[in-house]
Amino acid sequence: MQVLLVEDDSLLGQAVQLGLADREFSVHWVRTGAAAISELNHHQYDAMVLDLGLPDLEGSRILAGSRKRGVVLPILILTARDQAHDKVTHLDLGADDYMTKPFDMNELAARLRALVRRQRGYVSSDLVVGALKLNINTREVEAEGQTINLSRREFELLKALMSAPERVHSRDRLESAVFQAETEVESNALEVHVSNLRKKLGHKEWIETIRGVGYRLTCK
């Protein structure tokens, strides 16, 4: 899961970045409102963690402006402001959740997972497609009732495919899901992970290659 963290406090920003990374999040951390707006304009994220007291722009302006431009990613406010009227104001501006500092890292991670599940229409943590079952939280995967062990990249690839079965997923979308914030990716890296995933699932035909476009999950 790719998260944009907007936080100007160096110690806190580093702690959140490392804490979420330990919980299988990919975090891109920026320290100003201008940098946050630039990231939202040029890159796709699954969620944003937004501080309100930024050095250049008030977080509420970033929140309101993002919603006016049609940005739909879940936004979680993380701030020291704990007054009820602040919570109400920012939830009404378009925030999906509001947490106050200090906070528990496990709770932050759980709330982000819940926000992304709701945004994607997931009713529970389980994705089930035919004989495949994947748990987003525990990262457990079963194929025909048998547990299979996947690498992080293989898991992200399968999760992306299972999020919309029978739909053709472009190479760009799958590479974004699998490699996330990595900048140096070999041209055939996606094909290698698809091949490895097919072998572990035990049914090569479950992942169909759509030449010139991408891949589709056809598991029944």
Coordinates of all heavy atoms in Angstrom, one line a residue, residues 65-139:
G65 N -8.6 21.8 -1.2 CA -8.2 22.0 -2.6 C -8.2 20.6 -3.3 O -8.6 20.5 -4.5
S66 N -7.7 19.6 -2.6 CA -7.7 18.3 -3.2 C -9.0 17.8 -3.5 O -9.3 17.2 -4.6 CB -7.0 17.3 -2.2 OG -5.6 17.7 -2.0
R67 N -10.0 18.0 -2.6 CA -11.3 17.5 -2.9 C -12.0 18.3 -4.0 O -12.7 17.8 -4.8 CB -12.2 17.6 -1.6 CG -11.7 16.7 -0.5 CD -11.5 15.3 -1.0 NE -11.4 14.3 0.1 CZ -10.7 13.2 0.0 NH1 -10.1 12.9 -1.1 NH2 -10.6 12.4 1.0
K68 N -11.7 19.6 -4.1 CA -12.3 20.4 -5.2 C -11.7 20.0 -6.5 O -12.4 20.1 -7.6 CB -12.0 21.9 -4.9 CG -12.8 22.5 -3.8 CD -12.4 24.0 -3.7 CE -13.2 24.6 -2.5 NZ -12.9 26.1 -2.3
R69 N -10.5 19.5 -6.6 CA -9.9 19.0 -7.8 C -10.3 17.6 -8.2 O -9.9 17.1 -9.2 CB -8.4 19.1 -7.8 CG -7.8 20.5 -7.6 CD -6.3 20.6 -7.9 NE -5.6 19.6 -7.2 CZ -5.1 19.8 -6.0 NH1 -5.4 20.9 -5.3 NH2 -4.4 18.9 -5.3
G70 N -11.1 17.0 -7.3 CA -11.6 15.6 -7.6 C -10.7 14.5 -7.1 O -10.8 13.4 -7.5
V71 N -9.7 14.8 -6.2 CA -8.8 13.8 -5.6 C -9.6 13.0 -4.7 O -10.3 13.5 -3.8 CB -7.6 14.5 -4.9 CG1 -6.8 13.4 -4.2 CG2 -6.8 15.3 -5.9
V72 N -9.7 11.6 -4.9 CA -10.6 10.8 -4.2 C -9.8 9.8 -3.2 O -10.5 9.1 -2.5 CB -11.4 9.9 -5.1 CG1 -12.3 10.8 -6.0 CG2 -10.6 9.0 -6.0
L73 N -8.5 9.9 -3.1 CA -7.8 9.0 -2.2 C -8.2 9.3 -0.8 O -8.5 10.4 -0.4 CB -6.3 9.1 -2.4 CG -5.5 10.1 -1.6 CD1 -4.0 9.8 -1.7 CD2 -5.8 11.5 -2.1
P74 N -8.2 8.2 0.1 CA -8.5 8.5 1.5 C -7.5 9.4 2.1 O -6.3 9.2 1.9 CB -8.5 7.1 2.1 CG -8.7 6.1 1.0 CD -8.1 6.8 -0.2
I75 N -8.0 10.3 2.9 CA -7.1 11.3 3.6 C -7.3 11.2 5.1 O -8.5 11.4 5.6 CB -7.3 12.7 3.1 CG1 -7.0 12.9 1.6 CG2 -6.5 13.7 3.9 CD1 -7.4 14.2 1.1
L76 N -6.3 10.9 5.8 CA -6.3 10.8 7.3 C -5.6 12.0 7.9 O -4.4 12.2 7.6 CB -5.7 9.5 7.8 CG -5.8 9.2 9.3 CD1 -5.9 7.7 9.5 CD2 -4.6 9.7 10.0
I77 N -6.2 12.8 8.7 CA -5.6 13.9 9.4 C -4.9 13.4 10.6 O -5.5 12.7 11.4 CB -6.6 15.0 9.8 CG1 -7.4 15.5 8.5 CG2 -6.0 16.1 10.5 CD1 -6.5 16.3 7.5
L78 N -3.6 13.8 10.7 CA -2.8 13.4 11.9 C -2.3 14.7 12.5 O -1.4 15.3 11.9 CB -1.7 12.5 11.5 CG -0.9 11.9 12.7 CD1 -1.8 11.0 13.6 CD2 0.3 11.0 12.1
T79 N -2.8 15.1 13.7 CA -2.5 16.4 14.2 C -2.5 16.5 15.7 O -3.1 15.6 16.3 CB -3.5 17.5 13.6 OG1 -3.2 18.8 14.1 CG2 -4.9 17.1 14.0
A80 N -2.0 17.5 16.3 CA -2.0 17.7 17.7 C -3.3 18.4 18.1 O -3.6 18.5 19.3 CB -0.8 18.5 18.2
R81 N -4.1 18.9 17.1 CA -5.3 19.7 17.5 C -6.4 18.7 17.8 O -6.8 17.9 17.0 CB -5.7 20.5 16.2 CG -4.6 21.5 15.8 CD -5.1 22.3 14.6 NE -4.0 23.0 14.0 CZ -4.0 23.7 12.9 NH1 -5.2 23.8 12.2 NH2 -3.0 24.4 12.4
D82 N -6.8 18.7 19.1 CA -7.7 17.7 19.6 C -9.1 18.3 20.0 O -9.9 17.6 20.6 CB -7.2 17.0 20.8 CG -6.8 18.0 21.9 OD1 -7.1 19.2 21.8 OD2 -6.3 17.5 23.0
Q83 N -9.4 19.5 19.5 CA -10.7 20.1 19.8 C -11.8 19.5 18.9 O -11.5 19.3 17.7 CB -10.7 21.6 19.6 CG -9.7 22.3 20.6 CD -10.1 22.1 22.0 OE1 -11.2 22.3 22.4 NE2 -9.1 21.7 22.9
A84 N -13.0 19.4 19.4 CA -14.1 18.8 18.7 C -14.4 19.6 17.4 O -14.6 19.0 16.3 CB -15.3 18.6 19.5
H85 N -14.3 20.9 17.5 CA -14.7 21.7 16.3 C -13.7 21.5 15.2 O -14.0 21.6 14.0 CB -14.8 23.2 16.7 CG -13.6 23.9 17.1 ND1 -12.7 24.4 16.2 CD2 -13.0 24.1 18.3 CE1 -11.7 24.9 16.8 NE2 -11.9 24.8 18.1
D86 N -12.4 21.3 15.6 CA -11.4 21.0 14.5 C -11.7 19.7 13.8 O -11.6 19.6 12.6 CB -10.0 20.9 15.1 CG -9.4 22.3 15.5 OD1 -9.5 23.2 14.7 OD2 -8.8 22.4 16.6
K87 N -12.1 18.7 14.6 CA -12.4 17.4 14.0 C -13.6 17.5 13.0 O -13.6 17.0 11.9 CB -12.7 16.4 15.0 CG -11.5 16.0 15.9 CD -11.9 15.0 17.0 CE -10.8 14.7 17.9 NZ -11.1 13.8 19.0
V88 N -14.6 18.2 13.5 CA -15.8 18.4 12.7 C -15.5 19.2 11.4 O -16.0 18.8 10.3 CB -16.9 19.1 13.5 CG1 -18.1 19.4 12.6 CG2 -17.4 18.2 14.7
T89 N -14.8 20.2 11.6 CA -14.5 21.1 10.4 C -13.8 20.3 9.3 O -14.1 20.4 8.2 CB -13.6 22.3 10.9 OG1 -14.3 23.1 11.8 CG2 -13.2 23.1 9.6
H90 N -12.7 19.5 9.7 CA -11.9 18.8 8.7 C -12.6 17.6 8.1 O -12.4 17.3 7.0 CB -10.6 18.5 9.3 CG -9.7 19.7 9.5 ND1 -9.7 20.4 10.7 CD2 -8.9 20.4 8.7 CE1 -8.9 21.5 10.6 NE2 -8.4 21.5 9.4
L91 N -13.4 17.0 8.9 CA -14.2 15.9 8.4 C -15.2 16.4 7.4 O -15.5 15.8 6.3 CB -15.0 15.1 9.5 CG -14.1 14.3 10.4 CD1 -14.8 13.8 11.6 CD2 -13.4 13.1 9.6
D92 N -15.8 17.6 7.7 CA -16.7 18.2 6.7 C -16.0 18.7 5.5 O -16.6 18.8 4.4 CB -17.5 19.3 7.4 CG -18.6 18.9 8.3 OD1 -19.0 17.7 8.2 OD2 -19.1 19.7 9.1
L93 N -14.7 19.0 5.6 CA -14.0 19.5 4.4 C -13.6 18.3 3.5 O -13.2 18.5 2.4 CB -12.7 20.2 4.9 CG -12.8 21.6 5.3 CD1 -11.5 22.1 5.8 CD2 -13.3 22.5 4.2
G94 N -13.8 17.1 4.0 CA -13.5 15.9 3.1 C -12.5 14.9 3.7 O -12.2 13.9 3.0
A95 N -12.0 15.1 4.9 CA -11.2 14.1 5.5 C -12.0 12.8 5.8 O -13.1 12.9 6.1 CB -10.6 14.6 6.8
D96 N -11.3 11.7 5.6 CA -11.9 10.4 5.9 C -11.8 9.9 7.3 O -12.5 9.1 7.8 CB -11.4 9.4 4.9 CG -11.7 9.7 3.5 OD1 -12.8 9.5 3.0 OD2 -10.8 10.3 2.8
D97 N -10.7 10.4 8.0 CA -10.5 10.1 9.4 C -9.6 11.1 10.0 O -9.0 12.0 9.3 CB -9.8 8.7 9.4 CG -10.0 8.0 10.8 OD1 -10.5 8.6 11.7 OD2 -9.6 6.8 10.9
Y98 N -9.6 11.1 11.4 CA -8.9 12.2 12.1 C -8.3 11.6 13.3 O -9.0 11.0 14.2 CB -9.9 13.3 12.5 CG -9.4 14.6 13.0 CD1 -9.4 15.7 12.2 CD2 -8.9 14.7 14.3 CE1 -8.9 16.9 12.7 CE2 -8.4 15.9 14.8 CZ -8.4 17.0 14.0 OH -7.9 18.2 14.5
M99 N -7.0 11.6 13.5 CA -6.3 11.1 14.6 C -5.5 12.2 15.3 O -4.9 13.1 14.6 CB -5.4 10.0 14.3 CG -6.1 8.7 13.9 SD -4.9 7.3 13.6 CE -4.2 7.1 15.3
T100 N -5.4 12.2 16.6 CA -4.6 13.2 17.3 C -3.3 12.6 17.9 O -3.2 11.5 18.2 CB -5.5 13.8 18.5 OG1 -5.9 12.8 19.3 CG2 -6.7 14.6 17.9
K101 N -2.3 13.5 17.9 CA -1.0 13.1 18.5 C -1.1 13.3 20.0 O -1.7 14.3 20.5 CB 0.1 14.0 17.9 CG 0.1 14.0 16.4 CD 1.1 15.0 15.9 CE 1.1 15.1 14.3 NZ 1.9 16.2 13.8
P102 N -0.4 12.5 20.8 CA 0.3 11.2 20.4 C -0.7 10.1 20.0 O -1.9 10.2 20.3 CB 1.1 10.9 21.7 CG 0.2 11.4 22.8 CD -0.4 12.7 22.2
F103 N -0.2 9.1 19.3 CA -1.0 8.1 18.8 C -0.3 6.8 18.8 O 0.9 6.7 19.0 CB -1.4 8.4 17.3 CG -0.2 8.6 16.4 CD1 0.2 7.5 15.7 CD2 0.5 9.8 16.3 CE1 1.4 7.6 14.9 CE2 1.6 9.9 15.5 CZ 2.0 8.8 14.8
D104 N -1.1 5.7 18.6 CA -0.5 4.4 18.6 C -0.2 4.0 17.1 O -1.2 4.1 16.3 CB -1.5 3.4 19.2 CG -0.9 1.9 19.2 OD1 -0.1 1.6 20.0 OD2 -1.3 1.2 18.3
M105 N 1.0 3.5 16.8 CA 1.3 3.2 15.4 C 0.4 2.0 14.8 O 0.1 2.1 13.7 CB 2.8 2.8 15.3 CG 3.3 2.7 13.9 SD 3.2 4.2 12.9 CE 4.5 5.2 13.8
N106 N 0.1 1.1 15.7 CA -0.7 0.0 15.2 C -2.1 0.5 14.8 O -2.7 0.0 13.9 CB -0.8 -1.1 16.3 CG 0.5 -1.9 16.4 OD1 1.1 -2.2 15.4 ND2 0.8 -2.3 17.6
E107 N -2.6 1.4 15.6 CA -3.9 2.0 15.3 C -3.9 2.8 14.0 O -4.8 2.7 13.2 CB -4.4 2.8 16.4 CG -5.8 3.4 16.2 CD -6.3 4.3 17.3 OE1 -5.6 4.5 18.3 OE2 -7.4 4.9 17.1
L108 N -2.8 3.5 13.8 CA -2.7 4.3 12.6 C -2.7 3.4 11.4 O -3.4 3.6 10.4 CB -1.4 5.1 12.6 CG -1.1 5.9 11.3 CD1 -2.2 6.9 10.9 CD2 0.3 6.6 11.4
A109 N -1.9 2.3 11.5 CA -1.8 1.3 10.3 C -3.2 0.7 10.1 O -3.6 0.5 9.0 CB -0.8 0.3 10.6
A110 N -3.9 0.3 11.2 CA -5.2 -0.3 11.0 C -6.2 0.6 10.4 O -7.0 0.2 9.6 CB -5.7 -0.8 12.4
R111 N -6.2 1.9 10.8 CA -7.1 2.8 10.2 C -6.8 3.1 8.8 O -7.8 3.2 8.0 CB -7.0 4.2 11.0 CG -7.6 4.1 12.4 CD -7.8 5.5 12.9 NE -8.3 5.5 14.3 CZ -9.0 6.5 14.9 NH1 -9.2 7.6 14.2 NH2 -9.3 6.5 16.1
L112 N -5.6 3.1 8.4 CA -5.3 3.3 7.0 C -5.7 2.1 6.1 O -6.3 2.2 5.1 CB -3.8 3.5 6.8 CG -3.2 4.8 7.2 CD1 -1.7 4.8 7.2 CD2 -3.7 5.9 6.3
R113 N -5.5 0.9 6.7 CA -6.0 -0.3 6.0 C -7.5 -0.3 5.8 O -8.1 -0.6 4.7 CB -5.6 -1.6 6.7 CG -4.1 -1.9 6.6 CD -3.8 -3.3 7.1 NE -4.0 -3.4 8.5 CZ -3.1 -3.3 9.4 NH1 -1.9 -3.0 9.1 NH2 -3.4 -3.5 10.7
A114 N -8.2 0.1 6.9 CA -9.7 0.2 6.8 C -10.2 1.2 5.8 O -11.1 1.0 5.1 CB -10.2 0.5 8.2
L115 N -9.5 2.4 5.8 CA -9.9 3.4 4.8 C -9.7 3.0 3.4 O -10.6 3.2 2.5 CB -9.0 4.7 5.0 CG -9.3 5.5 6.3 CD1 -8.3 6.7 6.4 CD2 -10.7 6.0 6.3
V116 N -8.6 2.3 3.1 CA -8.4 1.8 1.7 C -9.3 0.7 1.4 O -9.8 0.7 0.2 CB -6.9 1.4 1.6 CG1 -6.7 0.7 0.2 CG2 -5.9 2.5 1.7
R117 N -9.7 -0.2 2.3 CA -10.6 -1.2 2.0 C -12.0 -0.6 1.7 O -12.6 -1.0 0.7 CB -10.8 -2.1 3.3 CG -9.7 -3.1 3.5 CD -10.2 -4.3 4.4 NE -10.8 -3.8 5.6 CZ -10.1 -3.6 6.8 NH1 -8.8 -3.7 6.8 NH2 -10.7 -3.2 7.9
R118 N -12.4 0.4 2.4 CA -13.7 1.0 2.2 C -13.7 1.7 0.8 O -14.6 1.7 0.0 CB -14.1 2.0 3.3 CG -14.5 1.4 4.6 CD -15.3 2.3 5.4 NE -14.5 3.4 5.9 CZ -13.8 3.5 7.0 NH1 -13.8 2.4 7.8 NH2 -13.2 4.6 7.4
Q119 N -12.6 2.4 0.5 CA -12.5 3.2 -0.7 C -12.5 2.2 -1.9 O -13.1 2.6 -3.0 CB -11.2 4.0 -0.7 CG -11.1 5.1 -1.7 CD -10.5 4.7 -3.0 OE1 -9.8 3.7 -3.1 NE2 -10.6 5.5 -4.1
R120 N -12.0 1.0 -1.8 CA -12.0 0.1 -2.9 C -13.2 -0.8 -2.9 O -13.3 -1.7 -3.7 CB -10.7 -0.8 -2.8 CG -9.4 0.0 -3.0 CD -8.2 -0.9 -2.8 NE -7.0 -0.1 -3.1 CZ -5.8 -0.6 -3.0 NH1 -5.6 -1.9 -2.5 NH2 -4.7 0.1 -3.2
G121 N -14.1 -0.7 -1.9 CA -15.3 -1.4 -1.8 C -15.1 -2.8 -1.2 O -16.0 -3.6 -1.3
Y122 N -14.0 -3.0 -0.4 CA -13.9 -4.3 0.3 C -14.8 -4.3 1.5 O -14.7 -3.4 2.3 CB -12.4 -4.5 0.7 CG -11.4 -4.5 -0.4 CD1 -10.1 -4.2 -0.1 CD2 -11.8 -4.8 -1.7 CE1 -9.1 -4.2 -1.1 CE2 -10.8 -4.8 -2.7 CZ -9.5 -4.5 -2.4 OH -8.6 -4.5 -3.4
V123 N -15.5 -5.4 1.7 CA -16.4 -5.5 2.8 C -15.5 -6.0 4.0 O -15.8 -5.6 5.2 CB -17.5 -6.5 2.6 CG1 -18.4 -6.7 3.8 CG2 -18.4 -5.9 1.5
S124 N -14.6 -6.9 3.8 CA -13.7 -7.4 4.8 C -12.3 -7.4 4.4 O -12.0 -6.9 3.3 CB -14.2 -8.9 5.1 OG -13.8 -9.7 4.1
S125 N -11.4 -8.0 5.2 CA -10.0 -8.1 4.9 C -9.7 -9.2 3.9 O -8.6 -9.2 3.4 CB -9.2 -8.3 6.1 OG -9.4 -7.2 7.0
D126 N -10.7 -10.0 3.6 CA -10.5 -11.2 2.7 C -10.9 -10.8 1.3 O -12.0 -10.3 1.0 CB -11.2 -12.4 3.2 CG -10.6 -13.0 4.4 OD1 -9.4 -12.9 4.6 OD2 -11.4 -13.5 5.2
L127 N -10.0 -11.2 0.3 CA -10.4 -11.2 -1.1 C -10.5 -12.6 -1.5 O -9.6 -13.4 -1.3 CB -9.3 -10.5 -1.9 CG -9.1 -9.0 -1.8 CD1 -8.0 -8.5 -2.7 CD2 -10.4 -8.2 -2.1
V128 N -11.6 -13.0 -2.1 CA -11.9 -14.3 -2.5 C -12.3 -14.3 -4.0 O -13.2 -13.7 -4.4 CB -12.9 -15.0 -1.7 CG1 -13.2 -16.5 -2.1 CG2 -12.6 -15.0 -0.2
V129 N -11.5 -15.1 -4.8 CA -11.8 -15.2 -6.2 C -11.6 -16.7 -6.5 O -10.5 -17.2 -6.5 CB -10.9 -14.4 -7.1 CG1 -11.2 -14.6 -8.6 CG2 -10.9 -12.9 -6.7
G130 N -12.7 -17.3 -6.8 CA -12.7 -18.8 -7.1 C -12.0 -19.5 -6.0 O -12.4 -19.5 -4.9
A131 N -10.9 -20.3 -6.4 CA -10.2 -21.1 -5.4 C -9.1 -20.3 -4.7 O -8.3 -20.9 -4.0 CB -9.6 -22.3 -6.2
L132 N -9.1 -19.0 -4.9 CA -8.0 -18.2 -4.3 C -8.6 -17.4 -3.1 O -9.7 -16.8 -3.2 CB -7.4 -17.2 -5.3 CG -6.5 -17.8 -6.4 CD1 -6.1 -16.8 -7.4 CD2 -5.2 -18.4 -5.7
K133 N -7.9 -17.3 -2.1 CA -8.3 -16.4 -0.9 C -7.0 -15.7 -0.4 O -6.0 -16.3 -0.2 CB -8.8 -17.3 0.2 CG -9.3 -16.5 1.4 CD -9.9 -17.4 2.5 CE -10.3 -16.7 3.7 NZ -10.9 -17.6 4.8
L134 N -7.2 -14.4 -0.3 CA -6.1 -13.5 0.2 C -6.6 -12.6 1.3 O -7.6 -12.0 1.2 CB -5.6 -12.7 -1.0 CG -4.4 -11.7 -0.8 CD1 -3.6 -11.5 -2.1 CD2 -5.0 -10.3 -0.4
N135 N -5.8 -12.6 2.4 CA -6.2 -11.7 3.5 C -5.2 -10.5 3.5 O -4.0 -10.6 3.6 CB -6.0 -12.4 4.8 CG -6.5 -11.6 6.0 OD1 -5.9 -10.6 6.4 ND2 -7.7 -11.9 6.5
I136 N -5.8 -9.3 3.3 CA -5.0 -8.1 3.2 C -4.2 -7.8 4.4 O -3.1 -7.3 4.4 CB -6.0 -6.9 2.9 CG1 -6.6 -7.1 1.5 CG2 -5.2 -5.6 2.8 CD1 -7.7 -6.1 1.2
N137 N -4.8 -8.0 5.6 CA -4.1 -7.7 6.9 C -3.1 -8.7 7.3 O -1.9 -8.3 7.6 CB -5.2 -7.6 8.0 CG -6.1 -6.4 7.8 OD1 -5.8 -5.5 7.1 ND2 -7.2 -6.4 8.5
T138 N -3.4 -10.0 7.2 CA -2.4 -11.0 7.7 C -1.5 -11.4 6.5 O -0.4 -12.0 6.8 CB -3.1 -12.2 8.2 OG1 -3.8 -12.8 7.1 CG2 -4.1 -11.9 9.3
R139 N -1.8 -11.0 5.3 CA -1.0 -11.3 4.1 C -0.9 -12.8 3.9 O 0.0 -13.3 3.3 CB 0.4 -10.7 4.2 CG 0.3 -9.2 4.4 CD 1.7 -8.6 4.5 NE 2.3 -8.5 3.2 CZ 2.1 -7.6 2.3 NH1 1.2 -6.6 2.5 NH2 2.8 -7.6 1.1

